[in-house]
Amino acid sequence: LEPLAAALQQALEDVDVTVLDEEASGGGPALPSGGDASARGGGDDAGAERPAPDRTVPPRWSLEDARAALAAARHRDEVVLTAIRYARDFFEYAAVFAVTRDAVAGHDALGLHDERDRARSVAIWATDPGIFKTVIETRAPHLGPVSREASGNEAILSGLGRESPRAVLLYPVLLRDRPVCVVYADNGEAPVSPGRLGDLLLFLSGVGAALERILQDRKRRGRAGRPAGPDPGAAPGAEASRRAEDVREAPVVGGPGPRAGSEAEPVAPVVRAAPEPLPVPVDAPAPARGEAAAQPSLEEAGPPDLGIPVDLPPFEFEPPPVEAPQAPAAGAGGLEDVEEAFFSSGPRAPAAPEREKGAPAEGASSGPTPTATATPTAAPGPIATPTAPPPADARPPPEPPTLAALADRALDPDGATAAAACEALAARRREPASRTANEKLRRALLSGISARATRAARALGAIRDVEAIPLLIQVLETSEPETAGASADALAAITLQRLGPDARKWLAWWKQNRGRGRAEWLFSGLTSADRETRVAASVELSLAAPAPVAYSADLPPDERERLARAWAGWWARSGHVL
């Protein structure tokens, strides 16, 4: 397989293939706009009927136009071409690299000329040091300079013929949380304003969903053209090989074809156990004489569903008679008595004996009573009683807000609302949906709107988003002083380093420490010369798990270091995570 097809197949192997099977059969979430139209259009071959797009001139699309073109794509190469064509509205050069388990290989590119053939000749190992490795591991975009000192960066820039671009955008495209390709773009020696890239980043966030839609469409068409069950005369393993063909793509024109003698790795079919039939009660009553003829016979009705016999009589529910509750006597407890009668779990008290019309109630005063408004006489019926609300413990608890809604509240201009939302996001950061909320905050950080970017930086620092560190460093040198200051504070909260607003210091620190986990940064903070750093590290580690040692930020340096080592060793053995 060519690199991008191999990346998609490996992504489906890493993810549960049955999930995509169920969604392709109609049981999953709705497809993005345009998915149904592409399915009706006849699949990949239908794209050949349309004229080939112009690859030499930027399309000058709006965000809506670009999304419409992405929704109309019917092949993975159309998705890729749409992405790099729209990127050319912002950059001089754009390319897409496929990401497999072992390598990063060029797939397509556009510049002042058609650069596809040259891009397809560029490849590096996935483990080669450089910005590609960082973007793939952190699953976060990068916008900024790229150093040629790293071997991976040098191989990519030299292979593409890009001399020394001033700023490079790298955006990882994810398929179910796995990077399948990376969009590369640079503007040569000209600068790029982060504020202009908001629409492009929003567009690129939907490229992974478009690739997934293509795979679902192929599965639908493959399932529609197959027989209902496996062929009993087929060779062993043929069914598994046919499942693997769902994600295999035909090579594009001009690209390398499959190697001779190569076979796709078979994917084991999922075997689902048939449901056990429900037991048939032996003492079920026989159907009535007149009802047996009205029901279809077992042969006419076909096999029973889930083992339930079809010749049982229909179940008729006869509700028990309901006695109307007695109204409380005048002068009694009133509403409290009604609540006790309706909501108490014990037996009801016997009703008071009826009295004659006009007679005073037992225990009532014999003096004059207030005159009541006369009501027309009606037929006797159940006595209406006031209904009381259920007790507080019986009401269902309110559903917590979604993480996406909390991300919106974290950007609220009101400081108290934003702080409460950030606290809730931090408490739920281990939920799978937290990645979507964090990405929304990162996009707000790169929005170019000073106030919104400042609030986003504060929120990212409050939730300790490690993946936002490259973006926060980038904002330090490209934003206004208020936003840069908020980004520096966020970096200090995440890393417990006091490097100020100097982007170069932060970039140098990040290059040396990005391979370490955040827990290691905190344990290093326990031995810092700065007392505030020691206090912050000990508090955050103690909140994650009770401290096994009696650490104090005011102990002598030798004692602090000894206790920090013991604490770190216990942490590593216990398996705790931040």
Side-chain angles (χ1 to χ4, degrees):
L1 299 178
E2 63 177 358
L4 183 55
L8 294 174
Q9 179 168 339
Q10 290 173 7
L12 294 184
E13 292 172 356
D14 294 343
V15 183
D16 187 2
V17 182
T18 59
V19 175
L20 194 61
D21 286 344
E22 294 173 0
E23 295 182 1
S25 61
L31 294 174
S33 61
D36 295 338
S38 64
R40 291 191 300 266
D44 300 341
D45 296 334
E49 300 175 0
R50 294 179 294 179
D54 187 357
R55 297 171 57 95
T56 60
V57 180
R60 305 302 179 192
W61 282 334
S62 64
L63 178 59
E64 291 73 17
D65 295 337
R67 284 176 168 172
L70 188 65
R74 303 172 185 173
H75 189 274
R76 67 169 186 275
D77 285 336
E78 294 185 24
V79 173
V80 168
L81 183 57
T82 302
I84 58 178
R85 288 188 70 207
Y86 187 49
R88 288 272 285 119
D89 281 347
F90 305 85
F91 292 92
E92 176 186 294
Y93 182 91
V96 167
F97 287 80
V99 179
T100 63
R101 294 191 184 102
D102 301 324
V104 178
H107 182 77
D108 200 352
L110 286 177
L112 299 179
H113 306 284
D114 196 340
E115 304 283 348
R116 183 184 186 205
D117 292 339
R118 182 165 189 168
R120 292 174 79 93
S121 65
V122 180
I124 61 174
W125 294 110
T127 56
D128 286 348
I131 191 60
F132 272 84
K133 180 182 177 182
T134 302
V135 167
I136 293 170
E137 290 178 350
T138 61
R139 292 170 172 79
H142 165 84
L143 178 62
V146 173
S147 172
R148 284 183 173 267
E149 296 178 0
S151 59
N153 297 346
E154 172 63 25
I156 292 291
L157 295 176
S158 299
L160 297 178
R162 310 303 296 170
E163 294 299 332
S164 297
R166 185 169 180 177
V168 172
L169 171 67
L170 292 175
Y171 193 98
V173 176
L174 306 181
L175 181 66
R176 300 296 178 93
D177 202 34
R178 184 195 185 281
V180 293
C181 60
V182 173
V183 178
Y184 169 100
D186 72 65
N187 208 32
E189 298 180 358
V192 177
S193 172
R196 291 189 62 246
L197 303 182
D199 288 350
L200 178 60
L201 296 176
L202 290 175
F203 168 82
L204 292 177
S205 65
V207 174
L211 291 173
E212 184 173 340
R213 170 176 58 82
I214 297 297
L215 295 177
Q216 291 182 4
D217 289 347
R218 288 181 60 83
K219 280 192 171 293
R220 284 195 185 93
R221 295 193 301 274
R223 184 172 287 106
R226 293 178 188 166
D231 185 5
E239 184 68 18
S241 299
R242 189 167 57 184
R243 287 176 58 85
E245 287 294 330
D246 286 340
V247 293
R248 178 179 300 190
E249 302 275 0
V252 297
V253 178
R259 291 174 295 183
S262 63
E263 295 183 359
E265 181 181 353
V267 181
V270 178
V271 180
R272 296 183 175 88
E276 297 182 359
L278 299 178
V280 181
V282 296
D283 55 349
R289 182 179 301 274
E291 295 173 353
Q295 295 183 357
S297 64
L298 190 60
E299 291 77 5
E300 295 173 350
D305 185 13
L306 297 179
I308 302 176
V310 297
D311 56 348
L312 292 179
F315 178 77
E316 297 181 358
F317 175 76
E318 182 178 355
V322 180
E323 297 181 3
Q326 300 293 332
L335 182 60
E336 289 78 6
D337 290 345
V338 176
E339 291 178 345
E340 181 179 0
F342 274 87
F343 298 105
S344 63
S345 57
R348 287 185 182 176
E354 297 183 359
R355 57 187 176 85
E356 296 182 0
K357 190 173 184 180
E362 183 178 357
S365 172
S366 59
T369 58
T371 305
T373 305
T375 55
T377 304
I383 302 175
T385 57
T387 58
D393 54 355
R395 300 173 185 171
E399 296 184 0
T402 63
L403 292 175
L406 288 176
D408 291 332
R409 296 179 188 177
L411 300 173
D412 195 281
D414 181 38
T417 302
C422 291
E423 183 178 355
L425 284 173
R428 299 171 60 183
R429 63 179 178 269
R430 290 190 178 90
E431 298 183 16
S434 64
R435 179 174 293 277
T436 303
N438 295 350
E439 289 177 353
K440 178 176 290 190
L441 295 176
R442 295 173 203 153
R443 289 196 297 270
L445 180 67
L446 300 177
S447 63
I449 304 174
S450 179
R452 184 175 177 83
T454 301
R455 293 192 292 268
R458 293 170 182 165
L460 291 169
I463 65 177
R464 308 296 193 263
D465 184 11
V466 176
E467 297 182 5
I469 290 178
L471 301 181
L472 291 168
I473 296 175
Q474 166 195 324
V475 170
L476 285 178
E477 58 181 357
T478 59
S479 302
E480 298 179 3
E482 183 181 3
T483 306
S487 299
D489 293 341
L491 288 168
I494 298 172
T495 65
L496 294 187
Q497 303 295 316
R498 301 291 187 265
L499 302 180
D502 191 340
R504 293 183 180 181
K505 292 182 180 180
W506 281 110
L507 188 58
W509 180 91
W510 177 242
K511 288 181 178 179
Q512 295 177 359
N513 295 274
R514 63 190 177 192
R516 303 167 59 199
R518 187 167 182 270
E520 296 184 45
W521 304 343
L522 296 184
F523 282 114
S524 298
L526 295 177
T527 59
S528 172
D530 182 26
R531 185 181 183 279
E532 293 184 3
T533 301
R534 299 196 300 269
V535 171
S538 61
V539 168
E540 192 162 353
L541 288 170
S542 300
L543 291 176
V549 295
Y551 176 87
S552 173
D554 298 323
L555 290 172
D558 294 342
E559 186 67 11
R560 289 199 307 262
E561 185 173 357
R562 183 184 68 81
L563 294 177
R565 289 180 180 275
W567 195 347
W570 171 85
W571 181 279
R573 292 190 302 270
S574 61
H576 289 294
V577 294
L578 289 175

